[in-house]
Amino acid sequence: MKRVYDFLKNAEVYYLATVENDQPRVRPFGTVNEFEGKLYIQTGKIKPVSRQIAANHKAEICAFKDGAWIRIACELIEDDRVEAKKSMLDSYPNLRGMYNENDGNTQVFYMSNAVATFSAFGKDSETVEF
């Protein structure tokens, strides 16, 4: 899991894919945090992505950096605890102007049943599960 975290953190931007009815939706994200042995992402409850995850927990994440990429198939499980939200926002203090762990909007999800595939041109892919 640390390797997945390091890749996403170093890439700085990753793309989260969800579905809305029968339409795939992809958008850039930048938050990833390790909390209590799980990898978390963050969004706001007012965003469409929040409703999409609520309707279907399955998602994929993809990031590319220095000729290598990662794809993560997972389920995103909401953690509504203030401690999980605070940990995320403490890791990204620049978000504090828009989010607060007690604002009723901040939402964090951890990756469950995750399968991460590391790939690079000319190299065999490697898969890890967490």
Side-chain angles (χ1 to χ4, degrees):
M1 186 182 79
K2 180 177 179 352
R3 186 173 170 205
V4 173
Y5 170 83
D6 289 344
F7 193 101
L8 293 176
K9 196 75 169 170
N10 289 329
E12 296 180 359
V13 174
Y14 59 87
Y15 296 87
L16 174 66
T18 58
V19 292
E20 183 174 52
N21 300 317
D22 66 346
Q23 178 63 49
R25 302 288 184 195
V26 180
R27 83 282 293 149
F29 265 61
T31 55
V32 63
N33 189 44
E34 188 276 327
F35 179 70
E36 295 183 345
K38 297 176 183 171
L39 288 186
Y40 282 75
I41 66 168
Q42 181 272 333
T43 192
K45 289 183 180 181
I46 63 170
K47 294 183 176 183
V49 67
S50 174
R51 292 186 295 279
Q52 293 158 10
I53 294 168
N56 184 343
H57 296 288
K58 292 182 180 180
E60 284 207 6
I61 292 170
C62 185
F64 183 86
K65 176 98 173 159
D66 298 329
W69 62 95
I70 187 172
R71 285 187 15 211
I72 307 162
C74 63
E75 293 176 47
L76 295 174
I77 308 300
E78 184 177 7
D79 186 339
D80 201 34
R81 296 178 299 154
V82 170
E83 297 85 357
K85 296 173 193 178
K86 183 177 183 323
S87 177
M88 175 65 79
L89 294 175
D90 287 348
S91 295
Y92 292 90
N94 59 321
L95 292 177
R96 288 228 174 251
M98 297 180 289
Y99 296 100
N100 178 293
E101 57 267 22
N102 295 304
D103 63 8
N105 180 43
T106 300
Q107 192 171 35
V108 294
F109 297 92
Y110 65 86
M111 297 177 205
S112 179
N113 299 318
V115 178
T117 303
F118 294 89
S119 301
F121 295 113
K123 295 184 179 179
D124 291 337
S125 296
E126 299 176 53
T127 300
V128 296
E129 296 181 23
F130 59 96

